[in-house]
Amino acid sequence: MASLRSSFRFGASLTAMGIAGLAQVAVAQEAPTSGSLNAAQAAEQGVDGDDIVVTGVRESLRTAQAIKRNSDQIVDSVSAQDIGKLPDVNTTEALQRITGVQIQRRYGEGATDFDHRTQPAITVRGLTQVQNFLDGRAVYSASGGRAFDLEGIPPELLSGIDVYKNAPANIIEGGVGGAVNLRTRRPFDSNKEVISVTARGNYYDRVDKPGYAFSGLYSNRYDTSIGEIGLLVNAVYSKSQYRQDGLLAGPFGEARPGSIANAPSNAQIPYGFEVYDDTGDRKRFGIAAAVQWQASDDLLLTAQYQGTKYWFNRTGAYYYDFNNLPGNQYDSQGRVTQYNTLPTPGAAFTFNDNGYATSGSLSPQTFETGRFDQELWSASQNLTFNAAWQATDRAKVSFDVQYLTSYYNADRNGHVLSLYSRTGQNATGQYGSTVAPHPSTVIFDLRGKYPRWDVTDPSVLNNPANYSLPFIADSLQRNDADTLALAYDLEYEVEGNFLKKLRGGARYADNSIELRGTWNGVCLYQGIAPGCRDVPQGTPLIPLTNFPQLAMKGPSKNWFDGNTVTGGILYPAFPTGDGVWEQTKALYALFGAQTKDAFTPGDLNTQTEKTYTAWGIADYAFDAGGVRFDGGLGVRIVKTKTTSIGTQFNNDGSVSPLSVGNDYTNVLPSVNIRARFTDQFQMRFAYSKGVARPNFDVLSTNVTLQNPNQVDPSNGLPFANSGNPYLRPIKSDNLDLTAEWYFAPTGSLTAGLFYKSVNGFLSSGRFIGTYGGRSYNVNSSVNSGDGTVKGLEAGYQQFFDFLPGLLSGLGVQANYTYVDSNVENPFSSSANNLPSSLPLEKLSKHSYNLIGLYEKGPITARVAWNWRSSYLEQTTGSGANGQGQFAKPYASLDASISYNLTDKIAVSADVVNLNNRMNVLYIGTPSAPLQYQLNDRRFGLSVRATY
């Protein structure tokens, strides 16, 4: 059967040090130098104060280009076209427009999978270990991972997003792939009062439901007797719907020779088929507030608050083949000794050139159906304070305090209906079992635009009298995390012939996280009290007819465009209740069972992590051969001390508390150099070392000791299972070389080569641990994998102002990324034929964006085509067997148009997934499809007023 797997923050930010000295302290508003991300200042060079508020596509491109051009490091950006208007309606989706960034799509938009929340939705140059910043400060959610919940951030709160790919010493460590900085607005961004309100409506065609979003911003500056004071408040609330249709085939296995007429040798046919019917909704609330006080010409004080809350409700209904048979069995020579694929005798099949079935019939097939409802609510609060002091004409000082708190809560359940009636049954009666009572014959066809499968007798699947109730499950998750960070930074203008500036600082961060999670399953039998236990073969299951209210008709209307299970199926249903947990408790009560409402020691883990950092950079500049060179040499030294508190489960049934400490120091040098050959053309070289600490969930210390008399003969030690609090960070050496030609304020042609050598990737393995004075082989996660990532990036953008008349509004953005990666395959050995290395998960070797732009008079329009080649979805998973689950290439077409009714009011319309793309997963080869997936097209209409 299917398996079920409020506080504040202090701190603030000093902009990346004033570009022209004391006169610019009033507008210096980026991150503290401990994580100096000087995007805003780079964009402001040569810009009057009246131009700071970003409006229009041209201005957003000019801002992003200025950030890239003037930054002292390698960075790419996307900026808001106007207040409350990033170019995409999802923060994650906006990142896909940046070279080197690829995103995951789940539930109709850029997002991570609910059941793998610690895996980020984005990769930078193929690596998921990406540091997240909010206004230059490190942030993470309480999911158990290291990433911030980007999809939970309303994009209307942001003025822009910056991606740093080769971090210098002043950037807070934590990402071997790079760093993503989310920028919010501050009152001194504008020199006048600003009021902006946006209302937006959306329609999602597959789920056939509407959504909406409302946002508002108020900002003003006031001259007072104690100095100029600025106030800003920005808030947004949105709700969206989704439906995700998935059809699953396989995995494939060899068919018995002679069982299919005219079949090729080693013919491969699927074990069966599934329906994956996923619906739900999201809500986002965000608020950002800031107060700035120019207390004197030399002192700027900034206090900020950012709070976000995210709700995600999901109903995942599955209808799947469950023949209760093992896969094909093989001997030591790789020959099949037991065939468990089930072709219908005498049925006609078609095969592709590689011998995989593209149509045919399977029989007998027995089905089960599961439903897993999930309700997530998470939040973060971020309160910061920063003092930026121009101590002397040459010296600047910044003091920054940050407090971040977050929680991550989830309620989950599981409910299964089965076409089996007793234990000890399978589809064929093999292995001493009896035959399932309700078999089906499946006819499938994977050719054409949409794959499909159906059964010859629909009444088997849609008749409630055929079903039983074998299993229910529940799960709770309640995580909390908080961070206190203090930073003190100095900057001194040297103004020497070679040495120009000295920068340095210190940072202390205290992170803590509490992980709490349960999983509880209950088996149901006729006449036996609820519980999963050994029961005699033939024990009857509870008929669905005893509880007819626990079934609902499926699939969803026009599921997969009406091509599959046309006679209908049944899904499990839950009793009514206020939310997932109340419905789950009501379901359990029907069977005299109880949900697991309290956390036991094995469900708990508490971790603390303290970091002590010192960093320094020497900025230099000189002329040689008529070329102006500048850059920085730096080093970042970080000491990390961790404690993980859990429970030791002894083999005699007793438990004891467990606390494990670990500490390590990393020295991270960095080199940046820029050569300015002309005012328009420059090149950069960058080298740095980076680290990414393991996710908190794999650092758990709960240990289960096995029977001490059962030992590994290779070393004579018994076994244990645990997380691994001794894990070290993943490390990388990063090299970049770029060439950048800026031929117009919004015109550029750039290219870059990069290389990363990464070691310490995590994989399943063993370490030797000592518990109670005895050593054990501990099955856990270990630092074992090494790999390389190399590639190139290229980007081009331009408005064609030289064209006549209306054509002068045309523009284009284009970028291309090539990434080649090679990582050790943890499942490869001399005993199998699996590849010794695999590409990084989630990484396409080729990807590009092609965006057509138009802005002339009151009209602004955009058509965006995003494409990525095939990639490794995951090394393990359904049917992967070390070969890997891969995704086929896919593309998304998005479009938008906006019209300014007046200089204050604009209306816009947009559509996402205009091409109604299908996402396809396969195992090992595209000839062996695993999953086909369709998502909503999203249509939006909005009105925005800005004064």
Side-chain angles (χ1 to χ4, degrees):
M1 63 185 68
S3 60
L4 173 65
R5 308 274 149 189
S6 265
S7 297
F8 301 87
R9 163 191 179 190
F10 293 94
S13 89
L14 174 66
T15 333
M17 303 302 86
I19 294 167
L22 176 60
Q24 287 207 331
V25 172
V27 294
Q29 301 179 61
E30 253 309 312
T33 53
S34 60
S36 179
L37 307 176
N38 53 352
Q41 286 65 38
E44 287 168 13
Q45 290 189 24
V47 180
D48 295 332
D50 290 345
D51 296 327
I52 294 176
V53 176
V54 177
T55 57
V57 172
R58 289 176 190 258
E59 181 62 15
S60 67
L61 295 185
R62 187 207 65 80
T63 300
Q65 179 170 300
I67 290 171
K68 181 178 180 68
R69 180 179 187 177
N70 299 320
S71 176
D72 59 1
Q73 53 205 281
I74 297 173
V75 59
D76 287 285
S77 298
V78 58
S79 294
Q81 298 173 21
D82 206 338
I83 294 172
K85 195 174 189 304
L86 275 175
D88 295 272
V89 296
N90 171 291
T91 299
T92 302
E93 289 178 359
L95 281 161
Q96 72 178 318
R97 311 299 175 191
I98 293 177
T99 54
V101 178
Q102 297 174 355
I103 71 169
Q104 299 303 303
R105 297 179 181 275
R106 295 290 187 273
Y107 321 118
E109 64 179 53
T112 190
D113 185 73
F114 183 93
D115 295 317
H116 302 89
R117 299 294 294 182
T118 59
Q119 297 181 5
I122 69 165
T123 65
V124 177
R125 294 174 169 175
L127 294 164
T128 59
Q129 296 82 15
V130 178
Q131 177 68 290
N132 294 157
F133 296 112
L134 186 57
D135 287 325
R137 302 176 182 88
V139 289
Y140 66 98
S141 74
S143 66
R146 293 283 179 174
F148 203 47
D149 199 356
L150 295 180
E151 67 195 77
I153 302 293
E156 294 86 349
L157 289 184
L158 304 180
S159 64
I161 308 173
D162 308 311
V163 177
Y164 294 84
K165 299 174 179 177
N166 197 321
N170 58 322
I171 299 294
I172 300 171
E173 75 290 340
V176 294
V180 173
N181 182 41
L182 309 178
R183 287 185 279 117
T184 62
R185 289 181 167 80
R186 302 177 179 86
F188 284 0
D189 288 351
S190 176
N191 65 351
K192 59 184 179 181
E193 180 183 52
V194 179
I195 302 173
S196 180
V197 178
T198 301
R200 176 184 179 84
N202 293 307
Y203 171 73
Y204 305 84
D205 70 337
R206 193 161 291 277
V207 72
D208 193 23
K209 290 182 179 179
Y212 56 84
F214 300 97
S215 64
L217 177 142
Y218 176 80
S219 177
N220 208 351
R221 302 170 70 152
Y222 306 91
D223 287 319
T224 73
S225 59
I226 59 173
E228 188 174 21
I229 296 176
L231 301 174
L232 180 146
V233 177
N234 189 11
V236 59
Y237 179 80
S238 65
K239 183 175 181 179
S240 61
Q241 313 279 345
Y242 80 89
R243 195 179 101 192
Q244 185 170 273
D245 296 357
L247 185 153
L248 282 82
F252 282 70
E254 288 186 42
R256 182 185 297 276
S259 62
I260 302 173
N262 301 317
S265 61
N266 296 323
Q268 303 283 316
I269 65 174
Y271 287 115
F273 288 86
E274 301 181 20
V275 165
Y276 167 40
D277 198 342
D278 203 328
T279 59
D281 65 80
R282 299 176 174 90
K283 293 185 290 184
R284 297 178 175 95
F285 172 74
I287 185 168
V291 178
Q292 292 186 285
W293 176 24
Q294 192 72 61
S296 69
D297 289 343
D298 301 328
L299 181 62
L300 173 65
L301 304 178
T302 304
Q304 292 177 264
Y305 170 82
Q306 297 105 357
T308 63
K309 195 166 185 178
Y310 180 53
W311 298 265
F312 177 60
N313 298 295
R314 175 191 179 200
T315 296
Y318 305 82
Y319 201 89
Y320 51 93
D321 67 284
F322 183 59
N323 296 317
N324 205 20
L325 299 171
N328 286 354
Q329 306 296 304
Y330 298 85
D331 63 18
S332 61
Q333 304 301 314
R335 296 170 299 199
V336 182
T337 58
Q338 175 65 57
Y339 295 87
N340 284 321
T341 51
L342 303 172
T344 301
F349 279 74
T350 62
F351 295 86
N352 60 28
D353 293 340
N354 294 319
Y356 288 81
T358 55
S359 68
S361 179
L362 306 176
S363 181
Q365 293 281 294
T366 300
F367 290 91
E368 288 189 341
T369 172
R371 176 174 159 187
F372 305 95
D373 289 3
Q374 301 168 326
E375 184 176 6
L376 160 70
W377 63 106
S378 61
S380 67
Q381 295 188 88
N382 204 27
L383 187 61
T384 65
F385 174 78
N386 177 264
W389 178 38
Q390 185 78 42
T392 70
D393 288 345
R394 294 187 178 185
K396 300 175 185 178
V397 179
S398 171
F399 177 69
D400 198 84
V401 185
Q402 171 194 9
Y403 185 66
L404 166 71
T405 183
S406 64
Y407 65 78
Y408 181 93
N409 298 336
D411 294 345
R412 286 175 269 193
N413 59 27
H415 182 194
V416 175
L417 304 180
S418 178
L419 286 172
Y420 290 97
S421 61
R422 296 175 178 270
T423 61
Q425 294 176 332
N426 63 36
T428 65
Q430 297 180 57
Y431 313 111
S433 296
T434 56
V435 180
H438 305 295
S440 289
T441 296
V442 169
I443 301 172
F444 69 93
D445 192 340
L446 306 181
R447 302 166 297 181
K449 181 179 180 181
Y450 294 110
R452 63 182 177 85
W453 67 271
D454 219 326
V455 294
T456 55
D457 184 0
S459 66
V460 174
L461 306 188
N462 61 34
N463 184 358
N466 293 342
Y467 288 87
S468 64
L469 298 157
F471 184 75
I472 54 178
D474 63 272
S475 174
L476 283 176
Q477 190 171 359
R478 299 289 186 270
N479 295 349
D480 293 290
D482 62 70
T483 293
L484 173 66
L486 308 174
Y488 182 77
D489 302 313
L490 300 170
E491 178 179 324
Y492 184 76
E493 303 278 353
V494 178
E495 297 184 354
N497 291 331
F498 176 80
L499 190 61
K500 299 298 183 182
K501 186 187 300 182
L502 294 175
R503 291 181 284 156
R507 180 176 184 266
Y508 166 77
D510 187 351
N511 302 308
S512 65
I513 186 167
E514 294 188 33
L515 304 176
R516 312 177 189 94
T518 69
W519 189 89
N520 180 43
V522 175
C523 300
L524 306 175
Y525 307 104
Q526 183 81 32
I528 299 178
C532 291
R533 67 197 72 198
D534 293 330
V535 296
Q537 283 202 359
T539 302
L541 302 174
I542 298 175
L544 174 61
T545 51
N546 292 3
F547 302 92
Q549 74 274 27
L550 297 184
M552 57 183 285
K553 292 182 178 180
S556 295
K557 180 182 178 182
N558 202 33
W559 185 86
F560 228 88
D561 292 353
N563 291 305
T564 290
V565 287
T566 54
I569 54 181
L570 294 183
Y571 292 143
F574 288 91
T576 58
D578 185 13
V580 166
W581 200 246
E582 291 302 317
Q583 294 174 359
T584 307
K585 291 181 75 67
L587 174 67
Y588 272 57
L590 291 175
F591 303 101
Q594 291 185 336
T595 55
K596 187 176 181 180
D597 297 323
F599 298 105
T600 54
D603 305 324
L604 305 173
N605 179 247
T606 299
Q607 297 177 43
T608 62
E609 180 182 270
K610 297 181 180 181
T611 60
Y612 307 84
T613 304
W615 66 273
I617 294 179
D619 293 327
Y620 61 87
F622 62 93
D623 293 300
V627 178
R628 182 65 171 173
F629 292 89
D630 60 19
L633 301 172
V635 65
R636 188 176 188 90
I637 303 173
V638 186
K639 182 177 180 61
T640 304
K641 299 182 67 175
T642 66
T643 303
S644 188
I645 301 171
T647 302
Q648 178 177 312
F649 296 87
N650 301 311
N651 52 65
D652 61 1
S654 64
V655 299
S656 54
L658 185 65
S659 178
V660 178
N662 193 17
D663 67 85
Y664 48 87
T665 299
N666 297 110
V667 179
L668 309 174
S670 64
V671 178
N672 277 275
I673 184 169
R674 172 172 53 175
R676 303 188 193 188
F677 294 93
T678 69
D679 289 341
Q680 294 181 327
F681 180 72
Q682 63 187 31
M683 295 184 70
R684 299 178 189 266
F685 169 79
Y687 166 76
S688 69
K689 280 185 175 290
V691 294
R693 299 179 182 92
N695 286 341
F696 292 108
D697 60 339
V698 297
L699 295 171
S700 168
T701 56
N702 292 330
V703 177
T704 301
L705 305 180
Q706 306 296 338
N707 188 337
N709 297 319
Q710 295 178 356
V711 301
D712 184 340
S714 65
N715 61 10
L717 299 181
F719 298 94
N721 299 304
S722 175
N724 189 352
Y726 302 104
L727 289 169
R728 299 280 172 159
I730 300 170
K731 300 178 182 180
S732 67
D733 287 274
N734 315 300
L735 291 165
D736 276 83
L737 179 66
T738 71
E740 306 165 13
W741 178 32
Y742 301 99
F743 52 82
T746 56
S748 62
L749 178 62
T750 63
L753 301 173
F754 59 87
Y755 177 86
K756 291 178 181 286
S757 176
V758 187
N759 65 80
F761 283 117
L762 303 186
S763 65
S764 299
R766 290 181 185 175
F767 67 90
I768 305 299
T770 302
Y771 306 97
R774 182 164 186 175
S775 296
Y776 286 79
N777 295 305
V778 184
N779 296 311
S780 186
S781 297
V782 296
N783 295 105
S784 66
D786 297 337
T788 58
V789 183
K790 57 188 175 182
L792 65 88
E793 299 170 346
Y796 163 70
Q797 69 177 33
Q798 183 177 12
F799 268 96
F800 304 115
D801 304 291
F802 53 84
L803 295 175
L806 296 177
L807 296 180
S808 63
L810 290 172
V812 66
Q813 272 186 296
N815 60 59
Y816 165 76
T817 303
Y818 167 82
V819 188
D820 185 27
S821 65
N822 190 294
V823 180
E824 296 174 7
N825 183 358
F827 299 97
S828 176
S829 70
S830 59
N832 58 46
N833 295 318
L834 298 177
S836 61
S837 64
L838 289 168
L840 285 168
E841 292 184 357
K842 320 297 184 187
L843 170 64
S844 291
K845 183 172 287 190
H846 305 275
S847 62
Y848 69 85
N849 288 282
L850 183 60
I851 304 173
L853 304 169
Y854 187 83
E855 186 171 71
K856 190 74 173 180
I859 298 176
T860 299
R862 184 184 75 144
V863 178
W865 177 261
N866 174 265
W867 181 89
R868 64 182 299 185
S869 63
S870 60
Y871 62 92
L872 177 63
E873 168 70 18
Q874 59 185 46
T875 308
T876 60
S878 176
N881 295 327
Q883 302 176 75
Q885 284 186 16
F886 289 84
K888 280 189 176 182
Y890 74 79
S892 176
L893 180 63
D894 309 329
S896 64
I897 186 169
S898 177
Y899 184 82
N900 295 328
L901 298 174
T902 70
D903 60 349
K904 306 293 185 184
I905 300 175
V907 295
S908 62
D910 61 78
V911 58
V912 175
N913 188 26
L914 185 61
N915 58 324
N916 196 27
R917 67 179 182 273
M918 182 185 295
N919 303 328
V920 181
L921 298 180
Y922 60 89
I923 301 295
T925 168
S927 296
L930 173 68
Q931 176 178 290
Y932 303 84
Q933 187 183 97
L934 291 171
N935 291 281
D936 297 282
R937 281 175 291 192
R938 186 169 69 224
F939 301 87
L941 184 65
S942 65
V943 58
R944 183 175 63 258
T946 303
Y947 297 90

